[in-house]
Amino acid sequence: MSDIQKVLDFIVEIEKLKDVHRKTRPVGLERYENSAEHSWHVCLAALMLKDSANQPVNIDRVIKMLLIHDLGEVDAGDTIIYASETPELKKKEQAGLARIFALLPEGQAEQYLSLWLEFEAGETADSKFAKAIDRVPPLLHNLHGDGHSWKENKVPKEKVFAVNRRIAEGSQSLWSLLEKKLNQAVEEGILK
Amino acid sequence: MSDIQKVLDFIVEIEKLKDVHRKTRPVGLERYENSAEHSWHVCLAALMLKDSANQPVNIDRVIKMLLIHDLGEVDAGDTIIYASETPELKKKEQAGLARIFALLPEGQAEQYLSLWLEFEAGETADSKFAKAIDRVPPLLHNLHGDGHSWKENKVPKEKVFAVNRRIAEGSQSLWSLLEKKLNQAVEEGILK
């Protein structure tokens, strides 16, 4: 099979991410978001917020990380950020990623698996920033959408603050603004 | 308003692209594709096919081009590639892009507008390749989906070949393989 044919098979396979449903609704839409359109959204969010990162980041690497960060969900499904991410689930995601990247021409898979592992570990400047950005759209969906996902999934405000505080590890200034918005949501009774 | 707040407004505004519907269905799905998930899909397609470009490309620029290439559709809507792209429509898309990029902090809009104009002109190596990749998923949707969009939109095979032949300007090897697949689709009666 030619290398290009292998990539075409990969392109068709990853399309399944368009059918993985997340737990928030995009602003103004009744339906739930899927992980493919979410991936696009966080890439542009990262690009436009890059100057707010705590440490200088390589935005091209960050974007690649975000393009692939949810691919493991094709096999593992989406898990809301407020649920515990078990080692079993992460293993399933990693196995899914390995299966999908194995469709690529020889010698390609490793670099992307390694980029995903870096993202998951969240220890480098690039991955800290990428992980921070990944949390922004669901917060905006809730803030602009009457806290629908917090309510539907019974997430108390303490958990919302505790989980999202980690945004500060990627961008202190971004977290400061979002923290204000969350406090306002508490005052307005959207977040309880 | 702080720069970060401006970007958050931008992030919410571009979310409307998730509600712009295209004319093909993703492989295996009953619903039509939206332009946000399509944008993600072509970014990863470009990344994985970069070595097939006729001329060396700056893949990071190509990905940025593809992340923003459809943003004008928030105001202008999606047009099938087989319809004539009128100057009026392009003006509407450009005005939409200008409106959306104007939400960004000062001094940001121009570089992205200029990147989009480069994409639209399709004269540089990067934009030729980006434009080629933009055509691949809809072809795969039709080839794997009984030519549904060609049939629904009454697109004859002559037009499918004529329009997609331009893929060769970005990647001759990619077009060669797709041309074979299209010929096979004609033999199978999927494309008439």
Side-chain angles (χ1 to χ4, degrees):
Chain A
M1 199 193 293
S2 75
D3 279 358
I4 294 184
Q5 180 58 57
K6 286 178 187 171
V7 179
L8 295 185
D9 289 348
F10 170 87
I11 293 173
V12 170
E13 182 62 26
I14 66 171
E15 187 145 65
K16 291 177 182 162
L17 201 62
K18 296 174 186 170
D19 202 32
V20 173
H21 302 284
R22 294 168 51 86
K23 305 295 181 294
T24 62
R25 298 173 165 92
V27 178
L29 296 187
E30 286 302 308
R31 64 169 178 83
Y32 288 95
E33 189 181 39
N34 71 62
S35 293
E37 60 195 357
H38 160 74
S39 297
W40 163 79
H41 206 191
V42 287
C43 285
L44 270 181
L47 179 62
M48 302 310 178
L49 285 168
K50 66 181 189 300
D51 297 333
S52 77
N54 293 341
Q55 298 166 263
V57 293
N58 179 334
I59 189 62
D60 299 318
R61 289 190 81 238
V62 170
I63 288 174
K64 287 186 190 95
M65 256 180 211
L66 290 169
L67 283 174
I68 62 159
H69 81 293
D70 274 344
L71 276 181
E73 294 181 0
V74 164
D75 288 356
D78 174 68
T79 309
I80 191 167
I81 196 164
Y82 302 105
S84 3
E85 293 192 328
T86 63
E88 287 71 32
L89 182 75
K90 282 292 147 197
K91 255 191 198 162
K92 202 171 169 187
E93 272 190 46
Q94 188 172 344
L97 269 170
R99 180 186 69 74
I100 289 172
F101 287 138
L103 297 169
L104 292 171
E106 217 183 307
Q108 296 286 306
E110 281 127 46
Q111 59 186 306
Y112 296 111
L113 257 179
S114 141
L115 199 62
W116 182 80
L117 287 169
E118 179 183 335
F119 173 80
E120 281 298 317
E123 287 166 359
T124 60
D126 289 351
S127 60
K128 279 179 189 167
F129 182 63
K131 280 182 104 69
I133 295 299
D134 192 27
R135 288 158 198 247
V136 174
L139 283 184
L140 294 175
H141 294 165
N142 272 302
L143 290 167
H144 288 265
D146 197 29
H148 63 274
S149 180
W150 297 326
K151 290 175 187 169
E152 289 167 13
N153 296 284
K154 300 189 174 48
V155 188
K157 65 182 179 205
E158 292 77 15
K159 196 150 193 179
V160 171
F161 278 92
V163 165
N164 288 295
R165 190 166 289 132
R166 280 180 258 161
I167 289 173
E169 292 178 26
S171 169
Q172 183 58 58
S173 52
L174 177 57
W175 170 244
S176 298
L177 180 55
L178 289 169
E179 193 180 25
K180 263 185 221 155
K181 288 180 188 290
L182 288 177
N183 280 320
Q184 203 179 331
V186 172
E187 278 171 37
E188 288 167 359
I190 293 171
L191 175 58
K192 287 177 186 173
Chain B
M1 199 192 294
S2 75
D3 279 358
I4 294 184
Q5 181 59 56
K6 286 179 187 170
V7 179
L8 295 185
D9 290 347
F10 170 86
I11 292 172
V12 170
E13 180 63 25
I14 64 171
E15 187 146 65
K16 292 177 183 163
L17 201 61
K18 297 174 186 169
D19 203 31
V20 173
H21 301 285
R22 294 169 49 85
K23 306 296 182 291
T24 63
R25 298 172 166 92
V27 177
L29 296 187
E30 286 302 308
R31 63 170 179 83
Y32 288 95
E33 188 182 40
N34 70 62
S35 294
E37 60 194 358
H38 159 74
S39 298
W40 163 79
H41 206 192
V42 288
C43 285
L44 270 181
L47 180 60
M48 302 311 177
L49 286 168
K50 64 181 190 301
D51 297 332
S52 76
N54 293 341
Q55 298 166 264
V57 293
N58 179 336
I59 189 62
D60 300 318
R61 289 189 81 239
V62 170
I63 288 174
K64 288 187 190 94
M65 256 181 210
L66 289 170
L67 283 174
I68 63 159
H69 81 292
D70 274 345
L71 276 181
E73 294 182 359
V74 164
D75 288 356
D78 174 68
T79 309
I80 192 168
I81 196 166
Y82 302 105
S84 359
E85 294 193 325
T86 61
E88 286 70 31
L89 182 73
K90 283 293 146 195
K91 254 191 197 162
K92 203 170 168 187
E93 272 190 47
Q94 187 172 345
L97 269 171
R99 179 186 70 75
I100 288 172
F101 287 138
L103 297 170
L104 292 170
E106 215 183 308
Q108 296 287 305
E110 280 128 45
Q111 59 187 306
Y112 297 111
L113 257 179
S114 140
L115 199 63
W116 182 81
L117 287 168
E118 178 183 335
F119 173 81
E120 282 297 316
E123 287 166 0
T124 60
D126 289 351
S127 60
K128 279 179 188 167
F129 183 63
K131 281 181 104 70
I133 295 298
D134 192 26
R135 287 158 197 246
V136 174
L139 282 184
L140 294 175
H141 294 165
N142 272 301
L143 289 167
H144 289 264
D146 197 30
H148 63 273
S149 180
W150 296 327
K151 290 173 186 170
E152 288 166 13
N153 296 284
K154 299 188 175 48
V155 187
K157 62 181 180 209
E158 292 76 15
K159 195 149 194 180
V160 171
F161 279 93
V163 165
N164 288 295
R165 190 165 288 132
R166 280 179 259 161
I167 289 174
E169 292 178 25
S171 169
Q172 183 57 59
S173 51
L174 177 59
W175 170 242
S176 297
L177 180 56
L178 290 169
E179 192 179 25
K180 264 185 221 154
K181 288 179 187 292
L182 288 177
N183 279 320
Q184 204 179 328
V186 171
E187 277 171 36
E188 289 166 359
I190 293 170
L191 175 57
K192 288 177 185 172

